[in-house]
């Protein structure tokens, strides 16, 4: 059994390799954002983001919960020597879901684009968007298998190859064709096709067509619970864009979406690397006698690292963002993105706090919480959007995920007690929100010049080091630094 320190080292090591590699696709989308805002009209950019929202909703259903099933049952099957059975069963389910999505998108694209998006020119981009996302289902399943087998170098090489192709194709279509809205989706389809073929070839020894009926039954039953939970969870995180479209306009969706996509930098660089390694790691050591202590420390370190990242972005990021997105109509996005980052921090809490629900298969509760979230999110958006404008949706987004995290903690704690460091967690969040208010809502010019930003940065580091890092942790840090010298 690995010690706490060894597990933390494992989390960091594989989090950097697998997490950042898996995040490169999202990072590419962010890098291309300045080009999208340049080549797309405001309505086209809003429509493009509505396609992404629809695709995200479809993804929660049509992946059939396959990768989540593999994550939950892989070690159970491996202990019985039947890991090939669960890997193959979940892969075939994910491929079936992808084929189903592509078929339905071809049939329904004209109807959805004409009557909902009010623009039939989005029909081809819609189909390409769905096809590119459908390819991610088996990719996600096979990527999870690579994480279990710790084949990080292979995945890095294949992913980089696909991303280079994606970038070249996307840029070419944007600059030299008239079907500009298709550009990101054509690149996605091509890169995902290459990645899937390479992963299938690499994993052929782990696959079989002879999958037991019991495995398919487990996959479908457990997957159905995951799908319901995921769909509801996605709804209270994304329905705001539908409400914005209906209450305000597609152009306002574009403005909000830019702030949202900038906020997703946190998701790309912090949340995804963390959760991609945390999900299998917590199941691998679920029976460890010090597991509750391990989870407690993970919650504190995750929150501290996240808050530090968000504060750095708030203090130093706006000058860079103003150069990347100089269009005046997008200026409000600079107030939106820190709130999205904080909201995703709370979303990361749910992946830590729900351990009792997850390990005891009580997924009905993970469906109840999102229902409450949908009511809160949609209700507050309908009530407040007409009066306060598009920026209020970001505050509601953050608040909704905070409530969801606390609800999951209370429910999950009935099945598995987690003695979290609430004093440290609350102090970190108070610091983060206070600096958001100082930098975005209070008009103090000194806070925005170089010396003011430098002072805020130094104060943040000292506050965290002196008040939020305990003596034992400082001792371990000093010992590590001394060892590395």
């Amino acid at each position: 059994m690995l010690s706490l320190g060894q597990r933390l080292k494992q989390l960091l090591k594989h989090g950097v390799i697998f997490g950042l590699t898996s995040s490169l696709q999202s990072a590419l989308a962010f890098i291309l954002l300045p080009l999208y805002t340049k080549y797309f009209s405001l309505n086209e950019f809003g429509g493009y983001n509505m396609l992404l929202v629809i695709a995200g909703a479809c993804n929660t259903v049509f992946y059939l919960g396959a990768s989540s099933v593999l994550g939950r049952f892989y070690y159970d099957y491996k202990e019985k020597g039947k890991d090939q059975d669960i890997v193959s069963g979940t892969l075939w389910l994910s491929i079936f879901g992808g084929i189903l999505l592509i078929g339905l998108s071809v049939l329904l694209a004209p109807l959805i684009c004409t009557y909902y998006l009010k623009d039939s020119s989005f029909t081809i981009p819609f189909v390409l968007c769905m096809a590119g996302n459908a390819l991610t289902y088996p990719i996600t399943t096979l990527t999870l298998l690579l994480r279990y087998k710790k084949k990080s170098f292979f995945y890095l090489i294949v992913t980089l190859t696909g991303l280079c192709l994606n970038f070249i194709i996307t840029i070419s279509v944007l600059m030299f064709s008239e079907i500009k809205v298709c550009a990101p989706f054509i690149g996605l389809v091509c890169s995902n096709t290459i990645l899937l073929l390479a992963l299938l070839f690499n994993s052929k020894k782990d696959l079989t067509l002879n999958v037991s009926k019991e495995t398919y039954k487990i996959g479908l039953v457990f997957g159905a619970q995951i799908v319901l939970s995921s769909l509801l969870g996605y709804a209270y995180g994304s329905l705001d864009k539908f409400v914005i479209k209906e209450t305000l306009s597609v152009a306002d969706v574009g403005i909000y979406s830019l702030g949202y996509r900038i906020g997703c930098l946190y998701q790309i660089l912090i949340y995804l690397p963390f959760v991609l390694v945390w999900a299998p790691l917590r199941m691998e050591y679920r029976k460890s006698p010090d597991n509750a202590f391990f989870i407690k420390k993970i919650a504190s370190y995750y929150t501290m690292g996240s808050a530090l990242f968000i504060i750095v972005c708030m203090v130093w990021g706006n000058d860079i963002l103003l150069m990347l997105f100089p269009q005046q109509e997008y200026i409000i996005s600079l107030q939106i993105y820190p709130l999205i980052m904080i909201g995703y921090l709370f979303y990361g809490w749910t992946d830590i706090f729900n351990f009792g629900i997850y390990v005891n298969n009580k997924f009905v509760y993970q469906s109840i919480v999102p229902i409450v979230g949908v009511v809160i999110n949609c209700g507050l958006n309908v009530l407040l959007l007409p009066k306060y404008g598009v920026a209020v949706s970001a505050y509601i987004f953050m608040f909704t995920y905070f409530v969801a995290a606390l609800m999951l903690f209370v429910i999950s704690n009935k099945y598995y007690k987690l003695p979290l460091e609430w004093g440290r967690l609350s102090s970190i969040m108070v610091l983060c929100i206070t600096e958001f208010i100082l930098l975005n809502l209070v008009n103090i010019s000194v806070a925005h010049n170089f010396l003011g930003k430098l002072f805020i940065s130094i104060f943040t580091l000292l506050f965290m080091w002196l008040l939020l890092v305990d003596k034992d942790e400082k001792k371990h840090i000093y010992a590590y630094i001394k060892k590395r010298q």
Side-chain angles (χ1 to χ4, degrees), residues 156-185:
L156 175 63
I157 295 300
V158 173
T159 301
L160 287 176
T161 301
L163 283 175
C164 289
L165 180 62
N166 188 345
F167 181 79
I168 293 170
I169 292 175
T170 301
I171 292 294
S172 300
V173 176
L174 271 177
M175 298 181 67
F176 304 112
S177 80
E178 298 299 321
I179 52 172
K180 299 186 185 302
V181 180
C182 291
F185 305 126

PDB file of all heavy atoms in Angstrom, residues 156-185:
ATOM      1  N   LEU A 156       0.520  10.724 -25.494  1.00  0.00           N
ATOM      2  CA  LEU A 156       1.013  12.063 -25.779  1.00  0.00           C
ATOM      3  C   LEU A 156       1.356  12.215 -27.263  1.00  0.00           C
ATOM      4  O   LEU A 156       0.967  13.196 -27.902  1.00  0.00           O
ATOM      5  CB  LEU A 156       2.241  12.356 -24.915  1.00  0.00           C
ATOM      6  CG  LEU A 156       2.968  13.676 -25.167  1.00  0.00           C
ATOM      7  CD1 LEU A 156       2.047  14.850 -24.852  1.00  0.00           C
ATOM      8  CD2 LEU A 156       4.242  13.753 -24.339  1.00  0.00           C
ATOM      9  N   ILE A 157       2.078  11.244 -27.822  1.00  0.00           N
ATOM     10  CA  ILE A 157       2.493  11.319 -29.221  1.00  0.00           C
ATOM     11  C   ILE A 157       1.293  11.315 -30.163  1.00  0.00           C
ATOM     12  O   ILE A 157       1.195  12.132 -31.090  1.00  0.00           O
ATOM     13  CB  ILE A 157       3.443  10.145 -29.572  1.00  0.00           C
ATOM     14  CG1 ILE A 157       4.746  10.269 -28.770  1.00  0.00           C
ATOM     15  CG2 ILE A 157       3.733  10.125 -31.066  1.00  0.00           C
ATOM     16  CD1 ILE A 157       5.516  11.531 -29.027  1.00  0.00           C
ATOM     17  N   VAL A 158       0.351  10.398 -29.923  1.00  0.00           N
ATOM     18  CA  VAL A 158      -0.822  10.294 -30.792  1.00  0.00           C
ATOM     19  C   VAL A 158      -1.666  11.565 -30.714  1.00  0.00           C
ATOM     20  O   VAL A 158      -2.135  12.089 -31.725  1.00  0.00           O
ATOM     21  CB  VAL A 158      -1.656   9.057 -30.415  1.00  0.00           C
ATOM     22  CG1 VAL A 158      -2.961   9.036 -31.204  1.00  0.00           C
ATOM     23  CG2 VAL A 158      -0.870   7.785 -30.688  1.00  0.00           C
ATOM     24  N   THR A 159      -1.847  12.073 -29.500  1.00  0.00           N
ATOM     25  CA  THR A 159      -2.660  13.276 -29.321  1.00  0.00           C
ATOM     26  C   THR A 159      -2.029  14.480 -30.004  1.00  0.00           C
ATOM     27  O   THR A 159      -2.715  15.266 -30.673  1.00  0.00           O
ATOM     28  CB  THR A 159      -2.852  13.567 -27.824  1.00  0.00           C
ATOM     29  OG1 THR A 159      -3.489  12.454 -27.200  1.00  0.00           O
ATOM     30  CG2 THR A 159      -3.721  14.800 -27.625  1.00  0.00           C
ATOM     31  N   LEU A 160      -0.726  14.647 -29.855  1.00  0.00           N
ATOM     32  CA  LEU A 160      -0.042  15.774 -30.487  1.00  0.00           C
ATOM     33  C   LEU A 160      -0.142  15.704 -32.012  1.00  0.00           C
ATOM     34  O   LEU A 160      -0.323  16.731 -32.677  1.00  0.00           O
ATOM     35  CB  LEU A 160       1.432  15.806 -30.053  1.00  0.00           C
ATOM     36  CG  LEU A 160       1.697  16.253 -28.617  1.00  0.00           C
ATOM     37  CD1 LEU A 160       3.179  16.149 -28.293  1.00  0.00           C
ATOM     38  CD2 LEU A 160       1.195  17.672 -28.386  1.00  0.00           C
ATOM     39  N   THR A 161      -0.048  14.500 -32.561  1.00  0.00           N
ATOM     40  CA  THR A 161      -0.176  14.331 -34.013  1.00  0.00           C
ATOM     41  C   THR A 161      -1.571  14.757 -34.483  1.00  0.00           C
ATOM     42  O   THR A 161      -1.725  15.503 -35.457  1.00  0.00           O
ATOM     43  CB  THR A 161       0.072  12.867 -34.413  1.00  0.00           C
ATOM     44  OG1 THR A 161       1.385  12.481 -33.986  1.00  0.00           O
ATOM     45  CG2 THR A 161      -0.048  12.680 -35.914  1.00  0.00           C
ATOM     46  N   GLY A 162      -2.583  14.291 -33.766  1.00  0.00           N
ATOM     47  CA  GLY A 162      -3.952  14.657 -34.121  1.00  0.00           C
ATOM     48  C   GLY A 162      -4.207  16.144 -33.978  1.00  0.00           C
ATOM     49  O   GLY A 162      -4.888  16.760 -34.817  1.00  0.00           O
ATOM     50  N   LEU A 163      -3.649  16.763 -32.946  1.00  0.00           N
ATOM     51  CA  LEU A 163      -3.860  18.183 -32.726  1.00  0.00           C
ATOM     52  C   LEU A 163      -3.178  19.040 -33.789  1.00  0.00           C
ATOM     53  O   LEU A 163      -3.719  20.069 -34.203  1.00  0.00           O
ATOM     54  CB  LEU A 163      -3.347  18.582 -31.338  1.00  0.00           C
ATOM     55  CG  LEU A 163      -4.254  18.194 -30.169  1.00  0.00           C
ATOM     56  CD1 LEU A 163      -3.578  18.528 -28.851  1.00  0.00           C
ATOM     57  CD2 LEU A 163      -5.590  18.909 -30.253  1.00  0.00           C
ATOM     58  N   CYS A 164      -2.012  18.624 -34.209  1.00  0.00           N
ATOM     59  CA  CYS A 164      -1.326  19.356 -35.282  1.00  0.00           C
ATOM     60  C   CYS A 164      -2.170  19.342 -36.552  1.00  0.00           C
ATOM     61  O   CYS A 164      -2.326  20.382 -37.226  1.00  0.00           O
ATOM     62  CB  CYS A 164       0.051  18.755 -35.543  1.00  0.00           C
ATOM     63  SG  CYS A 164       1.258  19.058 -34.242  1.00  0.00           S
ATOM     64  N   LEU A 165      -2.719  18.186 -36.882  1.00  0.00           N
ATOM     65  CA  LEU A 165      -3.587  18.081 -38.045  1.00  0.00           C
ATOM     66  C   LEU A 165      -4.838  18.940 -37.855  1.00  0.00           C
ATOM     67  O   LEU A 165      -5.270  19.655 -38.772  1.00  0.00           O
ATOM     68  CB  LEU A 165      -3.974  16.623 -38.281  1.00  0.00           C
ATOM     69  CG  LEU A 165      -4.898  16.341 -39.469  1.00  0.00           C
ATOM     70  CD1 LEU A 165      -4.228  16.755 -40.770  1.00  0.00           C
ATOM     71  CD2 LEU A 165      -5.264  14.854 -39.518  1.00  0.00           C
ATOM     72  N   ASN A 166      -5.417  18.883 -36.673  1.00  0.00           N
ATOM     73  CA  ASN A 166      -6.601  19.684 -36.360  1.00  0.00           C
ATOM     74  C   ASN A 166      -6.312  21.167 -36.564  1.00  0.00           C
ATOM     75  O   ASN A 166      -7.078  21.894 -37.205  1.00  0.00           O
ATOM     76  CB  ASN A 166      -7.013  19.424 -34.902  1.00  0.00           C
ATOM     77  CG  ASN A 166      -8.343  20.062 -34.552  1.00  0.00           C
ATOM     78  OD1 ASN A 166      -8.855  20.914 -35.251  1.00  0.00           O
ATOM     79  ND2 ASN A 166      -8.897  19.636 -33.431  1.00  0.00           N
ATOM     80  N   PHE A 167      -5.192  21.635 -36.043  1.00  0.00           N
ATOM     81  CA  PHE A 167      -4.826  23.050 -36.134  1.00  0.00           C
ATOM     82  C   PHE A 167      -4.644  23.480 -37.588  1.00  0.00           C
ATOM     83  O   PHE A 167      -5.168  24.516 -38.022  1.00  0.00           O
ATOM     84  CB  PHE A 167      -3.538  23.291 -35.339  1.00  0.00           C
ATOM     85  CG  PHE A 167      -3.087  24.725 -35.342  1.00  0.00           C
ATOM     86  CD1 PHE A 167      -3.688  25.654 -34.518  1.00  0.00           C
ATOM     87  CD2 PHE A 167      -2.052  25.127 -36.179  1.00  0.00           C
ATOM     88  CE1 PHE A 167      -3.272  26.982 -34.522  1.00  0.00           C
ATOM     89  CE2 PHE A 167      -1.630  26.450 -36.190  1.00  0.00           C
ATOM     90  CZ  PHE A 167      -2.244  27.378 -35.357  1.00  0.00           C
ATOM     91  N   ILE A 168      -3.916  22.670 -38.358  1.00  0.00           N
ATOM     92  CA  ILE A 168      -3.633  23.022 -39.753  1.00  0.00           C
ATOM     93  C   ILE A 168      -4.926  23.092 -40.562  1.00  0.00           C
ATOM     94  O   ILE A 168      -5.159  24.038 -41.334  1.00  0.00           O
ATOM     95  CB  ILE A 168      -2.654  22.008 -40.372  1.00  0.00           C
ATOM     96  CG1 ILE A 168      -1.277  22.130 -39.703  1.00  0.00           C
ATOM     97  CG2 ILE A 168      -2.536  22.223 -41.880  1.00  0.00           C
ATOM     98  CD1 ILE A 168      -0.313  21.014 -40.071  1.00  0.00           C
ATOM     99  N   ILE A 169      -5.794  22.092 -40.389  1.00  0.00           N
ATOM    100  CA  ILE A 169      -7.047  22.053 -41.153  1.00  0.00           C
ATOM    101  C   ILE A 169      -7.955  23.210 -40.745  1.00  0.00           C
ATOM    102  O   ILE A 169      -8.543  23.891 -41.598  1.00  0.00           O
ATOM    103  CB  ILE A 169      -7.761  20.702 -40.944  1.00  0.00           C
ATOM    104  CG1 ILE A 169      -6.951  19.584 -41.600  1.00  0.00           C
ATOM    105  CG2 ILE A 169      -9.174  20.742 -41.517  1.00  0.00           C
ATOM    106  CD1 ILE A 169      -7.509  18.196 -41.338  1.00  0.00           C
ATOM    107  N   THR A 170      -8.067  23.450 -39.448  1.00  0.00           N
ATOM    108  CA  THR A 170      -8.946  24.523 -38.968  1.00  0.00           C
ATOM    109  C   THR A 170      -8.498  25.879 -39.498  1.00  0.00           C
ATOM    110  O   THR A 170      -9.315  26.672 -39.997  1.00  0.00           O
ATOM    111  CB  THR A 170      -8.973  24.540 -37.429  1.00  0.00           C
ATOM    112  OG1 THR A 170      -9.449  23.279 -36.941  1.00  0.00           O
ATOM    113  CG2 THR A 170      -9.888  25.646 -36.919  1.00  0.00           C
ATOM    114  N   ILE A 171      -7.210  26.172 -39.388  1.00  0.00           N
ATOM    115  CA  ILE A 171      -6.683  27.447 -39.877  1.00  0.00           C
ATOM    116  C   ILE A 171      -6.899  27.584 -41.385  1.00  0.00           C
ATOM    117  O   ILE A 171      -7.301  28.651 -41.889  1.00  0.00           O
ATOM    118  CB  ILE A 171      -5.176  27.569 -39.552  1.00  0.00           C
ATOM    119  CG1 ILE A 171      -4.965  27.697 -38.046  1.00  0.00           C
ATOM    120  CG2 ILE A 171      -4.569  28.761 -40.280  1.00  0.00           C
ATOM    121  CD1 ILE A 171      -5.501  28.964 -37.458  1.00  0.00           C
ATOM    122  N   SER A 172      -6.658  26.509 -42.116  1.00  0.00           N
ATOM    123  CA  SER A 172      -6.805  26.549 -43.575  1.00  0.00           C
ATOM    124  C   SER A 172      -8.240  26.857 -43.981  1.00  0.00           C
ATOM    125  O   SER A 172      -8.490  27.690 -44.863  1.00  0.00           O
ATOM    126  CB  SER A 172      -6.352  25.223 -44.185  1.00  0.00           C
ATOM    127  OG  SER A 172      -4.998  24.967 -43.879  1.00  0.00           O
ATOM    128  N   VAL A 173      -9.196  26.167 -43.350  1.00  0.00           N
ATOM    129  CA  VAL A 173     -10.606  26.389 -43.695  1.00  0.00           C
ATOM    130  C   VAL A 173     -11.034  27.797 -43.292  1.00  0.00           C
ATOM    131  O   VAL A 173     -11.773  28.473 -44.027  1.00  0.00           O
ATOM    132  CB  VAL A 173     -11.499  25.322 -43.018  1.00  0.00           C
ATOM    133  CG1 VAL A 173     -12.972  25.609 -43.296  1.00  0.00           C
ATOM    134  CG2 VAL A 173     -11.137  23.932 -43.514  1.00  0.00           C
ATOM    135  N   LEU A 174     -10.571  28.272 -42.131  1.00  0.00           N
ATOM    136  CA  LEU A 174     -10.925  29.622 -41.678  1.00  0.00           C
ATOM    137  C   LEU A 174     -10.444  30.690 -42.649  1.00  0.00           C
ATOM    138  O   LEU A 174     -11.168  31.638 -42.973  1.00  0.00           O
ATOM    139  CB  LEU A 174     -10.314  29.892 -40.295  1.00  0.00           C
ATOM    140  CG  LEU A 174     -11.113  29.507 -39.057  1.00  0.00           C
ATOM    141  CD1 LEU A 174     -10.298  29.781 -37.805  1.00  0.00           C
ATOM    142  CD2 LEU A 174     -12.438  30.261 -38.994  1.00  0.00           C
ATOM    143  N   MET A 175      -9.234  30.535 -43.140  1.00  0.00           N
ATOM    144  CA  MET A 175      -8.601  31.598 -43.919  1.00  0.00           C
ATOM    145  C   MET A 175      -8.891  31.528 -45.413  1.00  0.00           C
ATOM    146  O   MET A 175      -8.900  32.562 -46.094  1.00  0.00           O
ATOM    147  CB  MET A 175      -7.085  31.572 -43.686  1.00  0.00           C
ATOM    148  CG  MET A 175      -6.680  31.826 -42.240  1.00  0.00           C
ATOM    149  SD  MET A 175      -4.895  31.814 -41.967  1.00  0.00           S
ATOM    150  CE  MET A 175      -4.404  33.279 -42.879  1.00  0.00           C
ATOM    151  N   PHE A 176      -9.138  30.310 -45.923  1.00  0.00           N
ATOM    152  CA  PHE A 176      -9.183  30.166 -47.381  1.00  0.00           C
ATOM    153  C   PHE A 176     -10.494  29.603 -47.917  1.00  0.00           C
ATOM    154  O   PHE A 176     -10.562  29.237 -49.096  1.00  0.00           O
ATOM    155  CB  PHE A 176      -8.032  29.283 -47.864  1.00  0.00           C
ATOM    156  CG  PHE A 176      -6.677  29.787 -47.444  1.00  0.00           C
ATOM    157  CD1 PHE A 176      -5.918  29.070 -46.531  1.00  0.00           C
ATOM    158  CD2 PHE A 176      -6.181  30.986 -47.925  1.00  0.00           C
ATOM    159  CE1 PHE A 176      -4.673  29.527 -46.131  1.00  0.00           C
ATOM    160  CE2 PHE A 176      -4.933  31.455 -47.536  1.00  0.00           C
ATOM    161  CZ  PHE A 176      -4.173  30.728 -46.635  1.00  0.00           C
ATOM    162  N   SER A 177     -11.531  29.513 -47.084  1.00  0.00           N
ATOM    163  CA  SER A 177     -12.800  28.985 -47.587  1.00  0.00           C
ATOM    164  C   SER A 177     -13.950  29.871 -47.140  1.00  0.00           C
ATOM    165  O   SER A 177     -13.782  30.761 -46.308  1.00  0.00           O
ATOM    166  CB  SER A 177     -13.025  27.554 -47.104  1.00  0.00           C
ATOM    167  OG  SER A 177     -13.507  27.551 -45.780  1.00  0.00           O
ATOM    168  N   GLU A 178     -15.116  29.612 -47.687  1.00  0.00           N
ATOM    169  CA  GLU A 178     -16.307  30.370 -47.336  1.00  0.00           C
ATOM    170  C   GLU A 178     -17.133  29.674 -46.247  1.00  0.00           C
ATOM    171  O   GLU A 178     -18.104  30.245 -45.756  1.00  0.00           O
ATOM    172  CB  GLU A 178     -17.174  30.574 -48.585  1.00  0.00           C
ATOM    173  CG  GLU A 178     -16.485  31.382 -49.678  1.00  0.00           C
ATOM    174  CD  GLU A 178     -16.109  32.789 -49.218  1.00  0.00           C
ATOM    175  OE1 GLU A 178     -16.911  33.397 -48.488  1.00  0.00           O
ATOM    176  OE2 GLU A 178     -15.017  33.254 -49.570  1.00  0.00           O
ATOM    177  N   ILE A 179     -16.767  28.443 -45.886  1.00  0.00           N
ATOM    178  CA  ILE A 179     -17.534  27.690 -44.873  1.00  0.00           C
ATOM    179  C   ILE A 179     -16.816  27.789 -43.524  1.00  0.00           C
ATOM    180  O   ILE A 179     -16.455  26.799 -42.908  1.00  0.00           O
ATOM    181  CB  ILE A 179     -17.723  26.219 -45.294  1.00  0.00           C
ATOM    182  CG1 ILE A 179     -16.369  25.577 -45.674  1.00  0.00           C
ATOM    183  CG2 ILE A 179     -18.693  26.119 -46.452  1.00  0.00           C
ATOM    184  CD1 ILE A 179     -16.476  24.080 -45.896  1.00  0.00           C
ATOM    185  N   LYS A 180     -16.625  29.005 -43.045  1.00  0.00           N
ATOM    186  CA  LYS A 180     -15.770  29.257 -41.893  1.00  0.00           C
ATOM    187  C   LYS A 180     -16.290  28.606 -40.615  1.00  0.00           C
ATOM    188  O   LYS A 180     -15.514  28.132 -39.786  1.00  0.00           O
ATOM    189  CB  LYS A 180     -15.599  30.763 -41.701  1.00  0.00           C
ATOM    190  CG  LYS A 180     -14.943  31.442 -42.902  1.00  0.00           C
ATOM    191  CD  LYS A 180     -14.658  32.893 -42.631  1.00  0.00           C
ATOM    192  CE  LYS A 180     -14.128  33.590 -43.877  1.00  0.00           C
ATOM    193  NZ  LYS A 180     -12.907  32.986 -44.405  1.00  0.00           N
ATOM    194  N   VAL A 181     -17.615  28.563 -40.427  1.00  0.00           N
ATOM    195  CA  VAL A 181     -18.163  27.974 -39.198  1.00  0.00           C
ATOM    196  C   VAL A 181     -17.904  26.475 -39.142  1.00  0.00           C
ATOM    197  O   VAL A 181     -17.903  25.875 -38.070  1.00  0.00           O
ATOM    198  CB  VAL A 181     -19.679  28.282 -39.092  1.00  0.00           C
ATOM    199  CG1 VAL A 181     -20.261  27.680 -37.824  1.00  0.00           C
ATOM    200  CG2 VAL A 181     -19.913  29.784 -39.109  1.00  0.00           C
ATOM    201  N   CYS A 182     -17.653  25.866 -40.311  1.00  0.00           N
ATOM    202  CA  CYS A 182     -17.341  24.433 -40.350  1.00  0.00           C
ATOM    203  C   CYS A 182     -15.912  24.140 -39.893  1.00  0.00           C
ATOM    204  O   CYS A 182     -15.592  22.991 -39.559  1.00  0.00           O
ATOM    205  CB  CYS A 182     -17.522  23.878 -41.767  1.00  0.00           C
ATOM    206  SG  CYS A 182     -19.219  23.822 -42.341  1.00  0.00           S
ATOM    207  N   ALA A 183     -15.051  25.151 -39.910  1.00  0.00           N
ATOM    208  CA  ALA A 183     -13.613  24.930 -39.702  1.00  0.00           C
ATOM    209  C   ALA A 183     -13.282  24.147 -38.438  1.00  0.00           C
ATOM    210  O   ALA A 183     -12.573  23.133 -38.502  1.00  0.00           O
ATOM    211  CB  ALA A 183     -12.878  26.272 -39.710  1.00  0.00           C
ATOM    212  N   PRO A 184     -13.765  24.574 -37.252  1.00  0.00           N
ATOM    213  CA  PRO A 184     -13.373  23.829 -36.050  1.00  0.00           C
ATOM    214  C   PRO A 184     -13.894  22.401 -36.041  1.00  0.00           C
ATOM    215  O   PRO A 184     -13.252  21.512 -35.455  1.00  0.00           O
ATOM    216  CB  PRO A 184     -13.988  24.652 -34.906  1.00  0.00           C
ATOM    217  CG  PRO A 184     -15.036  25.486 -35.534  1.00  0.00           C
ATOM    218  CD  PRO A 184     -14.589  25.750 -36.924  1.00  0.00           C
ATOM    219  N   PHE A 185     -15.017  22.155 -36.684  1.00  0.00           N
ATOM    220  CA  PHE A 185     -15.611  20.821 -36.651  1.00  0.00           C
ATOM    221  C   PHE A 185     -14.941  19.877 -37.653  1.00  0.00           C
ATOM    222  O   PHE A 185     -14.818  18.677 -37.386  1.00  0.00           O
ATOM    223  CB  PHE A 185     -17.114  20.912 -36.902  1.00  0.00           C
ATOM    224  CG  PHE A 185     -17.817  21.836 -35.954  1.00  0.00           C
ATOM    225  CD1 PHE A 185     -18.623  22.863 -36.426  1.00  0.00           C
ATOM    226  CD2 PHE A 185     -17.635  21.719 -34.584  1.00  0.00           C
ATOM    227  CE1 PHE A 185     -19.261  23.729 -35.552  1.00  0.00           C
ATOM    228  CE2 PHE A 185     -18.267  22.585 -33.696  1.00  0.00           C
ATOM    229  CZ  PHE A 185     -19.076  23.588 -34.188  1.00  0.00           C
TER     230      PHE A 185
END
